[in-house]
């Protein structure tokens, strides 16, 4: 039973990896017009990979608590920030869609955001579980972010859209960290089966990104 659950978890992480690779591509594509921002994006993702390696070693060594090392503290802060700021942008976009496109368009877009967040939150829950952070904290911060985004829309503020590039960099850090942590923690086997599940994630994520314009 345990081996079956372990295999199921590995397959799910492989699908999520495919999803996040596509999300990284679409965010990076938006930054390509600015070589400086693109360079920043590469630097941020390199830092994420470095911290993911250190964090994986940290939690597979003598330390088992999040926040008892500067290495995992930095990762925790950025991951939580990404899980508030990125959903806040989505929340503001939901408000805008209802305001500009009407109820039907708003419902469709909100549905796409929910679908997108299911995969994003699954990835973050898996990454945070390595650091012994319960899923309720992860999902709770995302819901708080969406609520905050909708609230700023009602207040007439565009603070999240005005700072979307910074939020993109924070989000890229989170995505790169999750993928790298999966690799360095030893969960990724990269067997033939795993690559099929990664390809499945890439296919589904590409369709979602192209149709719903979310990442």
């Amino acid at each position: 039973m345990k081996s079956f659950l372990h295999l199921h978890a590995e397959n799910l992480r492989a699908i999520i990896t495919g999803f996040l690779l596509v999300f990284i591509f679409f965010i990076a594509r938006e930054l390509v017009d600015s070589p400086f921002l693109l360079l920043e994006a590469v630097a941020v993702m390199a830092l994420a990979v470095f911290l993911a390696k250190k964090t994986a070693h940290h939690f597979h060594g003598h330390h088992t608590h999040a926040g008892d090392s500067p290495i995992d503290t930095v990762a925790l802060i950025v991951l939580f920030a990404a899980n508030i700021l990125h959903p806040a942008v989505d929340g503001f976009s939901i408000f805008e869609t209802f305001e500009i496109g009407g109820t039907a368009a708003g419902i469709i877009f909100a549905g796409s955001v929910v679908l997108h967040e299911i995969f994003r939150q699954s990835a973050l829950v898996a990454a945070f579980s390595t650091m012994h952070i319960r899923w309720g904290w992860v999902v709770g911060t995302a819901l708080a972010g969406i609520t905050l985004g909708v609230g700023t829309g009602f207040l007439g503020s565009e603070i999240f859209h005005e700072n979307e590039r910074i939020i993109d960099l924070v989000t890229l850090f989170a995505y790169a960290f999750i993928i790298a942590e999966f690799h360095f923690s030893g969960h990724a086997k990269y067997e033939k089966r795993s690559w099929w599940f990664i390809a499945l994630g890439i296919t589904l994520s590409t369709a979602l990104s192209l149709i719903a314009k979310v990442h």
Side-chain angles (χ1 to χ4, degrees):
M1 181 66 175
K2 285 185 177 180
S3 61
F4 172 78
L5 292 175
H6 180 68
L7 178 63
H8 178 71
E10 282 188 358
N11 292 341
L12 179 59
R13 287 296 295 267
I15 292 173
I16 289 171
T17 296
F19 257 80
L20 298 185
L21 286 170
V22 173
F23 291 163
I24 287 173
F25 169 79
F26 276 97
I27 292 177
R29 193 179 68 168
E30 293 179 357
L31 303 176
V32 75
D33 292 336
S34 172
F36 179 73
L37 275 176
L38 196 58
L39 183 62
E40 280 188 331
V42 172
V44 163
M45 288 189 288
L47 176 62
V49 172
F50 170 78
L51 290 178
K53 184 176 182 179
K54 294 296 183 181
T55 299
H57 290 170
H58 175 85
F59 284 97
H60 285 77
H62 299 294
H63 301 279
T64 57
H65 299 289
D68 63 353
S69 163
I71 293 296
D72 69 88
T73 299
V74 172
L76 273 173
I77 291 172
V78 179
L79 286 176
F80 269 121
N83 207 36
I84 294 173
L85 296 175
H86 185 91
V89 173
D90 287 341
F92 183 80
S93 296
I94 290 172
F95 173 84
E96 272 194 328
T97 305
F98 271 101
E99 284 286 294
I100 299 172
T103 302
I107 291 173
I108 293 172
F109 182 76
S112 69
V113 167
V114 169
L115 181 60
H116 156 68
E117 283 298 331
I118 287 173
F119 285 97
R120 247 180 42 86
Q121 294 309 306
S122 297
L124 283 160
V125 165
F128 274 114
S129 66
T130 300
M131 295 180 274
H132 309 290
I133 303 295
R134 293 183 178 180
W135 68 269
W137 286 99
V138 183
V139 177
T141 51
L143 292 174
I146 291 174
T147 303
L148 184 61
V150 173
T152 58
F154 277 110
L155 293 174
S157 172
E158 296 190 3
I159 185 172
F160 292 113
H161 273 191
E162 290 171 354
N163 295 281
E164 195 165 353
R165 288 296 175 257
I166 296 174
I167 296 172
D168 282 343
L169 292 175
V170 175
T171 303
L172 284 173
F173 177 98
Y175 291 167
F177 180 94
I178 293 167
I179 294 171
E181 184 275 329
F182 182 43
H183 171 76
F184 290 122
S185 63
H187 296 306
K189 303 300 182 184
Y190 299 114
E191 298 171 354
K192 186 176 180 179
R193 181 190 64 253
S194 297
W195 289 110
W196 279 110
F197 280 102
I198 290 174
L200 175 61
I202 289 173
T203 301
L204 294 173
S205 185
T206 300
L208 180 62
S209 297
L210 291 175
I211 295 171
K213 309 296 184 185
V214 292
H215 43 255

